[in-house]
Short mmCIF file of all heavy atoms in Angstrom, two decimals:
data_model
loop_
_atom_site.label_atom_id
_atom_site.label_comp_id
_atom_site.label_asym_id
_atom_site.label_seq_id
_atom_site.Cartn_x
_atom_site.Cartn_y
_atom_site.Cartn_z
N MET D 1 101.82 95.10 94.02
CA MET D 1 101.10 93.88 93.67
C MET D 1 102.04 92.68 93.89
O MET D 1 103.24 92.84 94.08
CB MET D 1 100.64 93.95 92.22
CG MET D 1 99.40 94.83 92.03
SD MET D 1 99.80 96.62 92.01
CE MET D 1 100.63 96.80 90.46
N VAL D 3 103.06 88.69 92.47
CA VAL D 3 102.93 87.69 91.42
C VAL D 3 102.93 86.31 92.09
O VAL D 3 103.78 86.02 92.94
CB VAL D 3 104.09 87.78 90.40
CG1 VAL D 3 104.00 86.62 89.41
CG2 VAL D 3 104.04 89.10 89.66
N ASN D 32 110.25 84.60 95.86
CA ASN D 32 111.02 85.81 96.20
C ASN D 32 110.16 87.04 96.43
O ASN D 32 110.68 88.15 96.57
CB ASN D 32 112.10 86.09 95.13
CG ASN D 32 111.49 86.16 93.73
OD1 ASN D 32 110.28 86.24 93.58
ND2 ASN D 32 112.34 86.16 92.72
N MET D 33 108.85 86.86 96.48
CA MET D 33 107.95 87.98 96.71
C MET D 33 107.91 88.39 98.18
O MET D 33 108.20 87.58 99.06
CB MET D 33 106.52 87.62 96.26
CG MET D 33 106.34 87.48 94.76
SD MET D 33 106.23 89.13 93.95
CE MET D 33 107.29 88.82 92.51
N GLU D 34 107.48 89.62 98.44
CA GLU D 34 107.30 90.10 99.82
C GLU D 34 106.26 89.25 100.55
O GLU D 34 106.47 88.88 101.70
CB GLU D 34 106.86 91.57 99.77
CG GLU D 34 106.36 92.16 101.05
CD GLU D 34 107.41 92.31 102.14
OE1 GLU D 34 108.58 91.95 101.92
OE2 GLU D 34 107.06 92.77 103.23
N ASN D 44 89.15 88.43 89.07
CA ASN D 44 88.60 89.51 88.26
C ASN D 44 88.88 89.35 86.77
O ASN D 44 88.44 90.14 85.95
CB ASN D 44 89.19 90.86 88.75
CG ASN D 44 88.56 92.08 88.13
OD1 ASN D 44 89.22 92.83 87.43
ND2 ASN D 44 87.26 92.27 88.34
N VAL D 45 89.65 88.31 86.37
CA VAL D 45 90.08 88.20 84.97
C VAL D 45 89.89 86.80 84.37
O VAL D 45 90.40 86.54 83.27
CB VAL D 45 91.57 88.60 84.83
CG1 VAL D 45 91.75 90.08 85.08
CG2 VAL D 45 92.46 87.78 85.75
N GLY D 46 89.21 85.92 85.07
CA GLY D 46 89.02 84.57 84.53
C GLY D 46 90.24 83.70 84.61
O GLY D 46 90.57 82.96 83.68
N ALA D 56 96.27 92.23 93.33
CA ALA D 56 96.27 93.52 94.03
C ALA D 56 95.63 93.32 95.38
O ALA D 56 94.64 92.58 95.51
CB ALA D 56 95.49 94.56 93.24
N THR D 57 96.17 93.96 96.42
CA THR D 57 95.66 93.79 97.77
C THR D 57 95.19 95.12 98.35
O THR D 57 95.48 96.19 97.83
CB THR D 57 96.73 93.17 98.69
OG1 THR D 57 97.84 94.06 98.73
CG2 THR D 57 97.16 91.81 98.18
N SER D 59 92.62 98.15 99.64
CA SER D 59 91.45 98.85 99.08
C SER D 59 91.48 98.83 97.55
O SER D 59 90.44 98.93 96.90
CB SER D 59 91.40 100.29 99.59
OG SER D 59 92.58 100.99 99.27
N ALA D 60 92.64 98.66 96.96
CA ALA D 60 92.76 98.58 95.49
C ALA D 60 91.95 97.42 94.93
O ALA D 60 91.40 97.53 93.83
CB ALA D 60 94.24 98.41 95.10
N GLY D 64 89.23 98.97 92.65
CA GLY D 64 89.67 98.78 91.27
C GLY D 64 88.91 97.70 90.52
O GLY D 64 89.06 97.58 89.30
N VAL D 77 94.11 90.50 89.20
CA VAL D 77 93.80 91.58 88.25
C VAL D 77 94.54 91.44 86.93
O VAL D 77 94.37 92.28 86.03
CB VAL D 77 94.08 92.96 88.89
CG1 VAL D 77 93.15 93.18 90.08
CG2 VAL D 77 95.53 93.10 89.31
N GLY D 78 95.38 90.41 86.78
CA GLY D 78 96.06 90.19 85.50
C GLY D 78 96.61 88.78 85.45
O GLY D 78 96.84 88.15 86.49
N ILE D 79 96.79 88.30 84.21
CA ILE D 79 97.43 87.00 84.03
C ILE D 79 98.78 87.27 83.36
O ILE D 79 98.84 87.90 82.31
CB ILE D 79 96.54 86.08 83.16
CG1 ILE D 79 95.23 85.81 83.93
CG2 ILE D 79 97.26 84.78 82.81
CD1 ILE D 79 94.22 84.96 83.21
N VAL D 80 99.85 86.86 84.02
CA VAL D 80 101.19 87.17 83.57
C VAL D 80 101.55 86.29 82.38
O VAL D 80 101.49 85.07 82.47
CB VAL D 80 102.21 86.96 84.71
CG1 VAL D 80 103.64 87.15 84.23
CG2 VAL D 80 101.88 87.92 85.86
N ASP D 81 101.90 86.92 81.24
CA ASP D 81 102.30 86.08 80.11
C ASP D 81 103.73 86.36 79.65
O ASP D 81 104.21 85.72 78.72
CB ASP D 81 101.30 86.16 78.94
CG ASP D 81 100.82 87.56 78.64
OD1 ASP D 81 101.51 88.52 79.01
OD2 ASP D 81 99.76 87.68 78.00
N ASN D 82 104.39 87.27 80.29
CA ASN D 82 105.79 87.53 79.95
C ASN D 82 106.42 88.28 81.12
O ASN D 82 105.74 88.98 81.86
CB ASN D 82 105.87 88.37 78.68
CG ASN D 82 107.14 88.10 77.91
OD1 ASN D 82 108.10 87.53 78.45
ND2 ASN D 82 107.17 88.49 76.65
N SER D 83 107.76 88.10 81.26
CA SER D 83 108.42 88.82 82.35
C SER D 83 109.92 88.86 82.10
O SER D 83 110.46 88.03 81.35
CB SER D 83 108.14 88.14 83.69
OG SER D 83 108.74 86.86 83.73
N ILE D 84 110.57 89.83 82.73
CA ILE D 84 112.03 89.93 82.72
C ILE D 84 112.46 89.90 84.18
O ILE D 84 111.94 90.67 85.00
CB ILE D 84 112.52 91.25 82.08
CG1 ILE D 84 112.07 91.34 80.62
CG2 ILE D 84 114.03 91.41 82.21
CD1 ILE D 84 112.29 92.73 80.01
N GLY D 85 113.37 89.00 84.53
CA GLY D 85 113.97 89.02 85.86
C GLY D 85 113.05 88.61 86.98
O GLY D 85 113.32 88.88 88.15
N LEU D 86 111.97 87.93 86.66
CA LEU D 86 110.99 87.62 87.70
C LEU D 86 111.53 86.65 88.74
O LEU D 86 111.30 86.81 89.93
CB LEU D 86 109.72 87.04 87.06
CG LEU D 86 108.51 86.85 87.95
CD1 LEU D 86 108.11 88.15 88.60
CD2 LEU D 86 107.34 86.29 87.15
N GLU D 88 114.96 85.63 88.89
CA GLU D 88 116.41 85.70 89.13
C GLU D 88 116.72 86.35 90.46
O GLU D 88 115.95 87.13 90.99
CB GLU D 88 117.07 86.53 88.00
CG GLU D 88 117.08 85.78 86.68
CD GLU D 88 117.11 86.73 85.49
OE1 GLU D 88 117.65 87.83 85.64
OE2 GLU D 88 116.57 86.36 84.44
N ASP D 89 117.92 86.03 91.00
CA ASP D 89 118.31 86.62 92.29
C ASP D 89 118.74 88.07 92.11
O ASP D 89 119.30 88.43 91.10
CB ASP D 89 119.47 85.82 92.89
CG ASP D 89 118.96 84.48 93.38
OD1 ASP D 89 117.75 84.38 93.63
OD2 ASP D 89 119.77 83.55 93.49
N GLY E 8 113.35 93.98 87.27
CA GLY E 8 112.68 93.33 86.15
C GLY E 8 111.33 93.94 85.89
O GLY E 8 111.00 95.01 86.42
N SER E 9 110.56 93.28 85.03
CA SER E 9 109.23 93.78 84.71
C SER E 9 108.33 92.60 84.35
O SER E 9 108.81 91.50 84.07
CB SER E 9 109.28 94.77 83.56
OG SER E 9 109.77 94.14 82.38
N VAL E 10 107.04 92.86 84.38
CA VAL E 10 106.04 91.83 84.14
C VAL E 10 105.05 92.34 83.10
O VAL E 10 104.67 93.51 83.14
CB VAL E 10 105.30 91.52 85.48
CG1 VAL E 10 104.01 90.79 85.25
CG2 VAL E 10 106.21 90.73 86.41
N VAL E 11 104.64 91.45 82.20
CA VAL E 11 103.63 91.81 81.20
C VAL E 11 102.40 90.92 81.41
O VAL E 11 102.54 89.71 81.57
CB VAL E 11 104.17 91.60 79.76
CG1 VAL E 11 103.07 91.88 78.73
CG2 VAL E 11 105.37 92.52 79.51
N ALA E 12 101.23 91.57 81.41
CA ALA E 12 99.96 90.84 81.54
C ALA E 12 99.04 91.33 80.43
O ALA E 12 98.52 92.44 80.51
CB ALA E 12 99.35 91.07 82.90
N THR E 13 98.89 90.52 79.40
CA THR E 13 98.04 90.94 78.29
C THR E 13 96.58 90.96 78.72
O THR E 13 95.84 91.89 78.42
CB THR E 13 98.23 89.97 77.10
OG1 THR E 13 99.63 89.92 76.80
CG2 THR E 13 97.47 90.45 75.88
N ARG E 14 96.16 89.91 79.44
CA ARG E 14 94.78 89.85 79.93
C ARG E 14 94.79 90.48 81.31
O ARG E 14 95.44 89.97 82.23
CB ARG E 14 94.36 88.38 80.02
CG ARG E 14 92.86 88.17 79.93
CD ARG E 14 92.54 86.78 79.46
NE ARG E 14 92.28 85.86 80.56
CZ ARG E 14 92.53 84.54 80.52
NH1 ARG E 14 93.09 83.99 79.46
NH2 ARG E 14 92.26 83.78 81.55
N LYS E 15 94.12 91.61 81.46
CA LYS E 15 94.14 92.28 82.76
C LYS E 15 92.93 93.18 82.96
O LYS E 15 92.19 93.46 82.02
CB LYS E 15 95.43 93.10 82.91
CG LYS E 15 95.65 94.15 81.87
CD LYS E 15 96.94 94.92 82.17
CE LYS E 15 97.30 95.89 81.07
NZ LYS E 15 97.98 95.27 79.93
N ASN E 16 92.73 93.61 84.18
CA ASN E 16 91.71 94.59 84.54
C ASN E 16 91.90 95.82 83.67
O ASN E 16 93.01 96.30 83.48
CB ASN E 16 91.90 94.93 86.03
CG ASN E 16 90.95 95.99 86.54
OD1 ASN E 16 91.05 97.13 86.15
ND2 ASN E 16 90.04 95.59 87.41
N LEU E 19 94.15 98.86 84.34
CA LEU E 19 95.61 98.70 84.27
C LEU E 19 96.15 98.89 82.86
O LEU E 19 97.36 98.83 82.65
CB LEU E 19 95.99 97.31 84.78
CG LEU E 19 95.61 97.01 86.23
CD1 LEU E 19 95.94 95.56 86.57
CD2 LEU E 19 96.33 97.95 87.19
N ILE E 26 109.33 95.11 88.70
CA ILE E 26 109.63 94.30 89.87
C ILE E 26 110.71 95.03 90.67
O ILE E 26 111.77 95.36 90.13
CB ILE E 26 110.13 92.90 89.47
CG1 ILE E 26 109.13 92.23 88.52
CG2 ILE E 26 110.36 92.03 90.70
CD1 ILE E 26 109.70 90.99 87.82
N ALA E 35 110.20 96.02 104.16
CA ALA E 35 109.76 95.05 103.15
C ALA E 35 110.98 94.23 102.75
O ALA E 35 112.03 94.78 102.42
CB ALA E 35 109.18 95.77 101.95
N LYS E 36 110.85 92.91 102.79
CA LYS E 36 112.00 92.05 102.53
C LYS E 36 111.96 91.46 101.11
O LYS E 36 113.00 91.26 100.50
CB LYS E 36 112.04 90.89 103.54
CG LYS E 36 112.23 91.33 104.98
CD LYS E 36 113.55 92.06 105.20
CE LYS E 36 113.74 92.51 106.64
NZ LYS E 36 114.70 93.64 106.74
N GLY E 37 110.80 91.14 100.62
CA GLY E 37 110.72 90.49 99.32
C GLY E 37 110.28 91.43 98.22
O GLY E 37 110.01 92.62 98.45
N ARG E 38 110.20 90.89 97.00
CA ARG E 38 109.91 91.72 95.83
C ARG E 38 108.47 92.19 95.78
O ARG E 38 107.55 91.49 96.19
CB ARG E 38 110.25 90.93 94.57
CG ARG E 38 111.76 90.68 94.49
CD ARG E 38 112.15 89.91 93.27
NE ARG E 38 113.60 89.73 93.29
CZ ARG E 38 114.29 89.19 92.31
NH1 ARG E 38 113.67 88.76 91.20
NH2 ARG E 38 115.60 89.06 92.40
N VAL E 40 105.67 94.17 93.07
CA VAL E 40 105.39 94.60 91.70
C VAL E 40 104.72 95.97 91.80
O VAL E 40 103.66 96.11 92.43
CB VAL E 40 104.49 93.61 90.96
CG1 VAL E 40 104.19 94.10 89.55
CG2 VAL E 40 105.16 92.23 90.90
N VAL E 42 103.60 99.75 89.81
CA VAL E 42 103.38 100.50 88.58
C VAL E 42 104.40 101.63 88.52
O VAL E 42 104.69 102.28 89.52
CB VAL E 42 101.93 101.02 88.55
CG1 VAL E 42 101.74 102.08 87.50
CG2 VAL E 42 100.97 99.86 88.33
N ARG E 62 97.52 104.37 94.42
CA ARG E 62 96.39 104.69 93.54
C ARG E 62 96.11 106.17 93.51
O ARG E 62 96.07 106.82 92.45
CB ARG E 62 95.10 104.05 94.06
CG ARG E 62 94.92 102.61 93.79
CD ARG E 62 93.53 102.14 94.22
NE ARG E 62 93.27 102.29 95.63
CZ ARG E 62 92.35 103.09 96.17
NH1 ARG E 62 91.57 103.83 95.39
NH2 ARG E 62 92.18 103.14 97.47
N ALA E 68 93.08 106.51 90.87
CA ALA E 68 92.26 106.26 92.06
C ALA E 68 91.33 105.06 91.89
O ALA E 68 90.99 104.39 92.87
CB ALA E 68 91.47 107.50 92.45
N ASN E 69 90.92 104.77 90.66
CA ASN E 69 89.98 103.67 90.44
C ASN E 69 90.62 102.42 89.86
O ASN E 69 89.92 101.52 89.41
CB ASN E 69 88.84 104.14 89.53
CG ASN E 69 88.02 105.24 90.21
OD1 ASN E 69 87.70 105.13 91.37
ND2 ASN E 69 87.74 106.29 89.47
N ALA E 70 91.94 102.37 89.85
CA ALA E 70 92.63 101.20 89.31
C ALA E 70 93.07 100.27 90.44
O ALA E 70 93.34 100.72 91.56
CB ALA E 70 93.84 101.64 88.50
N PRO E 71 93.16 98.97 90.17
CA PRO E 71 93.59 98.02 91.20
C PRO E 71 95.11 98.00 91.35
O PRO E 71 95.77 97.01 91.03
CB PRO E 71 93.03 96.69 90.69
CG PRO E 71 93.01 96.84 89.22
CD PRO E 71 92.73 98.29 88.93
N VAL E 72 95.63 99.11 91.86
CA VAL E 72 97.08 99.29 92.00
C VAL E 72 97.38 99.52 93.48
O VAL E 72 96.78 100.39 94.10
CB VAL E 72 97.52 100.51 91.17
CG1 VAL E 72 98.91 100.96 91.57
CG2 VAL E 72 97.46 100.18 89.69
N ASP E 73 98.29 98.72 94.05
CA ASP E 73 98.62 98.88 95.47
C ASP E 73 100.10 99.23 95.70
O ASP E 73 100.55 99.25 96.86
CB ASP E 73 98.23 97.65 96.27
CG ASP E 73 98.98 96.39 95.82
OD1 ASP E 73 100.00 96.51 95.15
OD2 ASP E 73 98.53 95.29 96.16
#
Side-chain angles (χ1 to χ4, degrees):
Chain D
M1 282 79 71
V3 174
N32 54 12
M33 290 283 137
E34 168 67 0
N44 188 244
V45 292
T57 61
S59 58
V77 296
I79 297 179
V80 174
D81 44 21
N82 209 343
S83 66
I84 298 169
L86 189 57
E88 289 154 29
D89 287 338
Chain E
S9 62
V10 163
V11 175
T13 306
R14 205 157 96 210
K15 58 178 174 279
N16 178 291
L19 299 175
I26 306 167
K36 297 298 180 203
R38 294 180 180 186
V40 179
V42 165
R62 282 186 297 116
N69 296 316
V72 165
D73 63 17

